[in-house]
Amino acid sequence: QVSAKTPFCSNGGKDPCWNYEFELLDYFCGHILEFRIYEAANVWRSEPLGWAVLEPNKLAESRFVGHLQLSGTPCKAYLSVLLTTRSDDMNPGEPFPPAVRPPSTCCYGTEFQVCIEKREHFDQLGVDIVAHVGTILRVKKVVEGLIQEWNDAHTLEVVKPNDFLVAVNGIRGNSQRLLMCISNEQRLELVILRPPL
């Protein structure tokens, strides 16, 4: 049995964000992954607040991005997970080769493209985004800006909170490179991933 433990999340509230990445060197495709959530004050009791299981059949082309419903909780709660497996010749943070890039629609969600262009006096995306597991960006909030302008004009491809920004102008696999590209480029082709509910 292989296990790893994240640090305690100290931001409190009803929407904690661990944003922690670790590598399981002895994990093999076909193994079940179990996630357990503990309360910091009561972790010594070894009783989790909730748990979720990721079955191997949920991995699509060695990748899973989505929400796992927690069991054992008094109300509906979900854990957002991004999991990738990589070959020995890939380093963490490297872009995925085309063979393992996800298709437009799969069990881990739906991808769509957003094309925007910065203009004089109107160059802000208008999204609150945070790095997620070092490889993609998570949308926390959409406010006035280029993304809201896109949303108003494309009602079937609206960018929403909790969507993932997985690529910018063809760049994937590194959160910092995505942020740099957003900051430096005038025309942006964004790939948005919406995990299944």
Side-chain angles (χ1 to χ4, degrees):
Q1 181 178 4
V2 182
S3 64
K5 183 169 68 174
T6 70
F8 289 118
C9 178
S10 59
N11 65 339
K14 63 178 182 180
D15 188 22
C17 181
W18 286 272
N19 194 25
Y20 186 76
E21 179 179 359
F22 53 84
E23 185 173 9
L24 298 176
L25 296 176
D26 293 329
Y27 173 80
F28 292 95
C29 289
H31 286 181
I32 292 175
L33 286 176
E34 184 179 44
F35 301 87
R36 291 176 175 263
I37 309 299
Y38 292 90
E39 184 180 11
N42 295 321
V43 67
W44 57 272
R45 295 181 182 175
S46 71
E47 296 177 358
L49 293 173
W51 62 90
V53 173
L54 178 58
E55 300 285 351
N57 61 2
K58 292 290 185 70
L59 289 177
E61 297 191 11
S62 304
R63 183 182 175 99
F64 174 84
V65 180
H67 305 300
L68 300 176
Q69 184 169 355
L70 294 176
S71 300
T73 57
C75 60
K76 278 192 175 181
Y78 297 86
L79 180 67
S80 298
V81 174
L82 183 150
L83 181 144
T84 60
T85 61
R86 61 183 181 87
S87 59
D88 291 338
D89 58 350
M90 288 182 64
N91 295 315
E94 283 186 348
F96 291 101
V100 298
R101 286 184 181 173
S104 295
T105 303
C106 198
C107 65
Y108 51 76
T110 301
E111 284 189 358
F112 60 93
Q113 191 172 61
V114 172
C115 298
I116 56 178
E117 189 163 357
K118 299 174 185 176
R119 308 189 296 273
E120 187 176 2
H121 306 306
F122 196 68
D123 60 355
Q124 299 298 311
L125 264 63
V127 287
D128 184 2
I129 51 179
V130 293
H132 189 79
V133 299
T135 57
I136 59 178
L137 304 171
R138 182 171 67 90
V139 178
K140 294 182 65 178
K141 183 168 59 175
V142 179
V143 296
E144 184 179 354
L146 291 165
I147 293 296
Q148 185 58 58
E149 183 181 63
W150 167 275
N151 286 352
D152 293 341
H154 302 81
T155 56
L156 298 180
E157 295 180 328
V158 173
V159 179
K160 301 177 180 180
N162 294 319
D163 284 348
F164 293 107
L165 200 166
V166 299
V168 181
N169 292 357
I171 296 174
R172 288 181 182 247
N174 187 298
S175 298
Q176 292 304 313
R177 291 184 65 198
L178 297 181
L179 290 170
M180 287 180 60
C181 191
I182 291 172
S183 177
N184 296 334
E185 299 294 331
Q186 181 175 354
R187 178 175 172 78
L188 300 173
E189 295 182 2
L190 314 174
V191 177
I192 305 296
L193 173 66
R194 177 159 302 142
L197 296 176

